[in-house]
């Protein structure tokens, strides 16, 4: 007899999975390896930026009081008493009508309260002395970058869990992190099951297809911030699959299997969960594709049973595994970012279950539109290549027409969302 | 005397740089290492997908003609003569009122023209034979995934130069690429100059700051698809800098220096270009920040002289280096993607030159809005951490108000644009 499974709402499924989330430990990597990792501590400024008053331009450091009378007709002349390059400090104290030649980035000398840009000055020499004259007055503070104007000492600049961008790398360098505390990447084991699967290098034979899911998931793991560990592909053989799952579970933080979760005679995952004594969180989700997606838990460790169909497998990863990975990485925005877009093509099929349609987002004149790419069948692999979003069509809705406003989930985006996009979905 | 430099329009500067673009060679990497690389050849389907007619469901393969009379009152019964798992092929030819048990993904047996899902059937046993009955008619082709319905043999699935996403990895696996021809990453040399620069691990001392630009650029190189090679930081010493530049140029595809491009007494890059016999494409651009950005060329090899100010340096990389990297990678969309957004905050400063303001993009109800992040001064490093776009305010424009529509460039996006965003800018 066919087992009757009760579908659970997508929102509830995600909640159940996140109930078993774990967070990763800290590891230290070289600054140059930190791009794309997730910060494990708050980045706090241990000094002000700039650390001292400095000149943003090449020019002359002066006392503004000396410039009050300066005009085109009556320029004011200054004696140039020193020259400081970036990285050097002058030990002169500026006196009346004295100036110090200063380079971009150099520290403002004592007694000076304004900088005049080089191009606004005229330089001359007399009796081995250098003079500089200007034709207009300057105010106190003109052209000075003041200590702390960018950042005060003690400010939290970047929060724990942030995805490290090139801009954050620059901040880490500024604050002396030659090694960076990042969150250890969760190790995700991957096992592909199915007697129809050939290795990638094998020649096609009747009835068989090449294994593509495990490689796709490895890339999804990398995009999500995890470290994939491939444990190989297996024939539909209960004992062999059971041992492989049991063994892989020991050395990973999460385990993904593909295939074998349906109700067919060769779908052994349900039996494997039984043998492991696993707690099955759900084995049917009210969604298309991927309704057979199953998630179970053994001693707090999650097993994701994704569909063997490529598109269903892809969706299953992004909906259930990705937020678990981002939570592990201490990221405050673990959910996919949901935005609204205008449907660019009809999608007339009704949606008994919440449907995730592979789509491509385009921008035009401040408007966002989205169109489905390729066929929307769960076994279609080619449309995955062009998709950068999922169009989410809620369960119970009729078909949609061009011009309708729909929800889309951004799958190539690092921003994410604090709250689950699924809050408003069944 | 201060050298007078003539600013060039941003659009012209980008064009001049791209005039010296080069394209990279092919290298082969394992499929598992291909995510995030750029494809070096068109990906053509060498077989149809699916490669054979197959069942998308668990169920029974039947002849639709036998089901014409089936109804709830008068079910039609079939004898089950074989069972095929995915990966196996039945050698039976289906006769009248015969059925074959078939699993998801298995090849449709000869003589069959429809599949009935398991849950719509009733199975029974009599005299060691298995029977199955159904209560409604099926049409020819019902529940069959036909060979080639996803992809025909010979179709170009992904074009050369594409950024390899998880979806493309799946396609590569499907078509047997256990190694993938990708474009060799351009090697970009990086030299930081400036006597004010400390190493990241050094303690701050008066007048000095830590080198952050080279690490930031390394991360920007990685994001862009290039391989950064750091040649260290140098004091403002002409001979030393010249030798370092000359030496680095020999072993890289492109070279970036930071600092030393202005008109100050310690800005040695102009003199270094002279000694190298380099052709200076431009040494002043009508933009803020980064007006001192200089690009030169020696024997067809580009030297990017970026500003020493972090934000100017960042902008200089994205505007000039990134499209050169993407062109090298054969990518058809080498330019930053430009979209329209609504300004979320006033930006009242006038823009004598085209201004690139670091901003953060947000989506709400199908509208795109953008706000400047932090201070907009070229020496401000902290705002880089939060920026995911540049707001582009054209030269010659007055200040902008909240609600105005502005152009933004997406800097965290892999999609890019075929044509230069700068086409419409001076």
């Amino acid at each position: 007899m066919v087992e009757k499974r009760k579908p659970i709402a997508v929102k509830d499924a995600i909640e159940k999975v996140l109930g078993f989330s774990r967070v990763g430990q800290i590891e230290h990597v070289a600054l140059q390896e930190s791009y794309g990792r997730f910060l494990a501590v708050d980045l706090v400024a241990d000094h002000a930026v700039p650390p001292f008053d400095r000149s943003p331009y090449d020019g002359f450091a002066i006392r503004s009081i000396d410039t009050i009378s300066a005009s085109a007709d009556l320029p004011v002349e200054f004696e140039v008493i020193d020259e400081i390059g970036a990285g050097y400090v002058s030990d002169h104290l500026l006196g009346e009508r004295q100036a110090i030649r200063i380079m971009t980035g150099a520290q403002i000398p004592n007694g000076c309260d304004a900088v005049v840009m080089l191009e606004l000055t005229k330089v001359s020499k007399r009796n081995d002395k250098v003079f500089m004259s200007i034709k207009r007055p300057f105010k106190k503070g003109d052209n000075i970058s003041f200590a702390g104007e960018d950042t005060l000492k003690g400010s939290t600049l970047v929060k724990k869990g942030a995805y490290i961008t090139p801009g954050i790398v620059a901040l880490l360098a500024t604050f002396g992190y030659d090694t960076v505390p990042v969150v250890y990447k969760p190790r995700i084991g991957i096992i592909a099951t199915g007697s129809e699967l050939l290795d990638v290098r094998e020649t096609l034979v009747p009835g068989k297809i090449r294994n593509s899911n495990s490689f796709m998931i490895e890339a999804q793991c990398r995009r999500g911030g995890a470290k994939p560990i491939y444990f190989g592909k297996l024939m539909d053989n209960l004992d062999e699959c059971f041992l492989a799952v049991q063994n892989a579970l020991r050395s990973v933080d999460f385990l993904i299997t593909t295939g074998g979760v349906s109700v067919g005679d060769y779908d052994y995952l349900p039996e494997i969960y039984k043998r492991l004594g696993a707690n099955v969180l759900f084995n049917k989700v009210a969604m298309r594709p991927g309704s057979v997606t199953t998630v179970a838990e053994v001693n707090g460790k999650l097993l994701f049973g994704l569909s063997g169909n490529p598109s269903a497998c892809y969706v299953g990863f992004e909906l259930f595994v990705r937020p678990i990975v981002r939570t592990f990485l201490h990221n405050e925005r673990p959910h996919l970012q949901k935005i609204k877009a205008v449907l660019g093509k009809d999608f007339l099929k009704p949606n008994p279950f919440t449907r995730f349609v592979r789509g491509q987002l385009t921008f035009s004149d401040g408007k966002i539109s989205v169109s489905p790419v390729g066929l929307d069948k769960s076994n279609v692999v080619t449309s995955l290549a062009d998709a950068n979003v999922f169009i989410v069509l809620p369960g119970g809705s009729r078909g949609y027409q061009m011009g309708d406003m729909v929800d889309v989930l951004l799958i190539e985006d690092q921003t994410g969302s604090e709250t689950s996009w699924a809050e408003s979905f069944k």
Side-chain angles (χ1 to χ4, degrees), chain A residues 72-105:
Chain A
D73 295 338
L74 284 171
V76 173
E77 191 175 72
F78 293 77
E79 184 191 346
V80 180
I81 59 164
D82 196 6
E83 171 171 324
I84 33 174
Y88 297 95
V89 179
S90 175
D91 49 12
H92 285 74
L93 173 67
L94 223 57
E96 199 180 337
R97 298 227 173 163
Q98 289 185 329
I100 291 178
R101 175 82 177 90
I102 192 167
M103 310 303 155
T104 307

Side-chain angles (χ1 to χ4, degrees), chain A residues 87-230:
Chain A
Y88 297 95
V89 179
S90 175
D91 49 12
H92 285 74
L93 173 67
L94 223 57
E96 199 180 337
R97 298 227 173 163
Q98 289 185 329
I100 291 178
R101 175 82 177 90
I102 192 167
M103 310 303 155
T104 307
Q107 183 166 335
I108 302 294
N110 289 326
C112 146
D113 66 1
V115 168
V116 183
M117 282 175 273
L118 196 59
E119 47 270 45
L120 301 180
T121 64
K122 193 175 164 190
V123 179
S124 56
K125 275 191 183 176
R126 282 197 314 274
N127 308 329
D128 279 349
K129 287 188 173 173
V130 181
F131 296 90
M132 173 278 288
S133 66
I134 56 176
K135 295 178 171 178
R136 69 169 181 85
F138 286 81
K139 290 193 305 294
K140 189 178 158 84
D142 274 358
N143 302 317
I144 293 180
S145 294
F146 290 100
E149 86 174 11
D150 182 351
T151 303
L152 294 173
K153 184 174 171 173
S155 328
T156 295
L157 299 172
V158 185
K159 283 207 174 164
K160 181 169 150 174
Y163 173 80
I164 300 177
T165 59
I168 293 177
V169 169
L171 275 187
L172 288 163
T174 300
F175 293 103
Y177 289 83
D178 63 325
T179 64
V180 181
V182 296
V183 187
Y184 157 90
K185 292 182 185 182
R187 291 158 308 173
I188 301 191
I190 302 167
I191 296 175
T193 76
S195 300
E196 77 279 23
L197 300 180
L198 297 171
D199 268 327
V200 172
R201 71 185 65 203
E202 288 185 89
T203 308
L204 286 189
V205 294
K208 306 239 176 189
I209 57 168
R210 295 196 185 96
N211 166 31
S212 61
N213 286 341
S214 70
F215 300 101
M216 179 179 77
I217 293 172
E218 284 195 51
Q220 288 178 286
C221 283
R222 292 199 172 95
R223 180 169 67 189
K227 180 183 167 65
I229 303 170
Y230 180 45

Side-chain angles (χ1 to χ4, degrees), chain A residues 241-259:
Chain A
C241 288
F242 171 71
L243 288 173
V245 167
Q246 193 183 40
N247 180 49
L249 259 180
R250 287 194 195 104
S251 56
V252 298
D253 297 301
F254 305 100
L255 182 65
I256 295 174
T257 56
T258 65

Side-chain angles (χ1 to χ4, degrees), chain A residues 330-382:
Chain A
H330 299 228
N331 192 254
E332 283 190 341
R333 302 170 66 90
H335 300 282
L336 290 173
Q337 191 176 180
K338 182 181 76 175
I339 69 174
K340 294 263 181 203
V342 175
L343 198 59
K345 278 185 201 166
D346 288 348
F347 189 91
L348 299 174
K349 281 193 272 190
N351 308 290
F353 281 178
T354 300
R355 197 189 291 276
F356 297 87
V357 183
R358 294 170 291 288
Q360 202 170 37
L361 203 68
T362 48
F363 299 97
S364 151
D365 286 331
K367 296 271 173 2
I368 311 170
S369 57
V370 68
S371 287
V373 283
L375 292 161
D376 186 57
K377 293 195 177 181
S378 60
N379 58 336
V380 169
V381 73
T382 52

